[in-house]
Amino acid sequence: MYDSVIDPTLGPAGDARGRTALAPRPGDLSGLRLGLLANTKRNAEEFVEEVAGLLESQHGVQKVLIRKKPSIVEPAPPEMLEELRAECDVVVVGVGDCGSCSASAVADGLQLEEAGIPAVVIVSDAFRVSADAMATLQGTEGYQYVTTPHPVANLSRQGVRDRATAAVPEIVALLRGPNVAPAS
Amino acid sequence: MSVDQKQLDQLKQTLQADDYRMDVDVRGDSADVAIVAGPDACEECLVPKPLMQSMLGPVLGIEPASIRLVYPTDGPGADVTTS
């Protein structure tokens, strides 16, 4: 899984990675099934849980699934992505609070989009470089994600809550509307 | 091509956020890059080598395959040519 997603030296000769076709966006989040995909970094799960609570109370989504990836380095296993695809209408992925986990979070987001599920990835702002590199590697330069100040791992629960509250408007905007810059 | 110092500094800052330092030595059309771990570095937080090389290539103006990259986990005497 990792090899084919992250290693740009693999794949058939001449195999150009096409731009990921993003999923159609819902106009309204009310009643939609929300999935959460967290990594094992400290506060990642708490962050997406706080986001879920706000999306439920403010926008009427229903949290139906949360999954934690076994590795921060690698994208989510195929069976985990399939479960999210089958049971959720929209997915929040996070938090990319290190070099490898920000890159793999973007890879996860793009795989969900390719599977037809609108997804929003949360990355801490110190790791834009690796997040953008993964988007470019996946052929989707300009892929938009939500940033939160670095670090996330040392925050108290209230600190996580505050960050989630600040991030929700952009998360909602990206779930509802286009989440990629025009191809150059 | 020449080194894009601004982008190189950004990449170094990204690594510093995970408590890593990057030493770069560009020689003609190849480069030696060593990532050095600080006391609070998390081993898993470094991106995989192929991705790091793909990030470094345009920054250094060098083909990724010509970047010899050493990670802290490689240990002394490791074969640093990964491509």
Side-chain angles (χ1 to χ4, degrees):
Chain A
M1 182 64 178
Y2 148 73
D3 288 342
S4 62
V5 174
I6 291 182
D7 190 341
T9 65
L10 296 180
D15 177 30
R17 290 175 187 271
R19 195 170 185 84
T20 299
L22 301 179
R25 314 322 269 188
D28 185 2
L29 299 180
S30 180
L32 297 186
R33 299 168 301 167
L34 172 67
L36 305 175
L37 179 58
N39 61 39
T40 55
K41 288 288 285 186
R42 187 168 183 272
N43 278 338
E45 190 171 4
E46 289 83 352
F47 197 114
V48 294
E49 286 277 16
E50 291 290 348
V51 168
L54 291 162
L55 292 178
E56 285 181 314
S57 63
Q58 297 176 2
H59 298 278
V61 301
Q62 181 187 3
K63 185 185 76 175
V64 295
L65 195 64
I66 178 164
R67 290 292 177 265
K68 186 184 280 192
K69 300 199 301 180
S71 164
I72 62 170
V73 179
E74 300 184 19
E79 59 274 17
M80 197 174 281
L81 289 173
E82 174 55 27
E83 198 177 9
L84 289 162
R85 189 200 64 76
E87 298 188 28
C88 305
D89 299 309
V90 293
V91 174
V92 173
V93 180
V95 175
D97 193 31
C98 73
S100 60
C101 51
S102 60
S104 67
V106 166
D108 291 330
L110 288 171
Q111 289 203 89
L112 286 162
E113 296 284 355
E114 196 165 27
I117 305 298
V120 169
V121 176
I122 305 165
V123 172
S124 68
D125 58 5
F127 299 104
R128 285 193 177 102
V129 171
S130 44
D132 290 343
M134 177 54 76
T136 299
L137 183 64
Q138 298 289 313
T140 313
E141 186 175 4
Y143 177 70
Q144 293 182 1
Y145 46 84
V146 174
T147 59
T148 189
H150 175 76
V152 171
N154 66 353
L155 296 174
S156 65
R157 187 66 190 231
Q158 184 59 50
V160 171
R161 192 169 297 130
D162 292 343
R163 293 286 189 81
T165 301
V168 158
E170 195 177 353
I171 289 169
V172 170
L174 288 181
L175 283 176
R176 282 177 169 166
N179 71 345
V180 66
S184 54
Chain B
M1 289 181 67
S2 59
V3 175
D4 185 328
Q5 196 59 49
K6 183 180 175 186
Q7 284 196 45
L8 182 59
D9 289 343
Q10 287 177 342
L11 188 50
K12 286 182 174 181
Q13 286 172 11
T14 295
L15 287 163
Q16 282 171 1
D18 281 330
D19 199 25
Y20 286 100
R21 187 186 82 234
M22 181 166 64
D23 297 330
V24 178
D25 183 12
V26 177
R27 297 182 182 185
D29 58 0
S30 67
D32 292 304
V33 177
I35 310 292
V36 181
D40 296 323
C42 124
E43 185 178 317
E44 284 192 311
C45 291
L46 276 179
V47 299
K49 276 187 172 180
L51 181 57
M52 182 65 79
Q53 286 173 308
S54 76
M55 292 160 69
L56 283 164
V59 172
L60 301 180
I62 290 171
E63 285 296 315
S66 298
I67 298 170
R68 291 177 292 274
L69 183 59
V70 178
Y71 270 14
T73 49
D74 290 340
D79 179 2
V80 298
T81 304
T82 59
S83 300

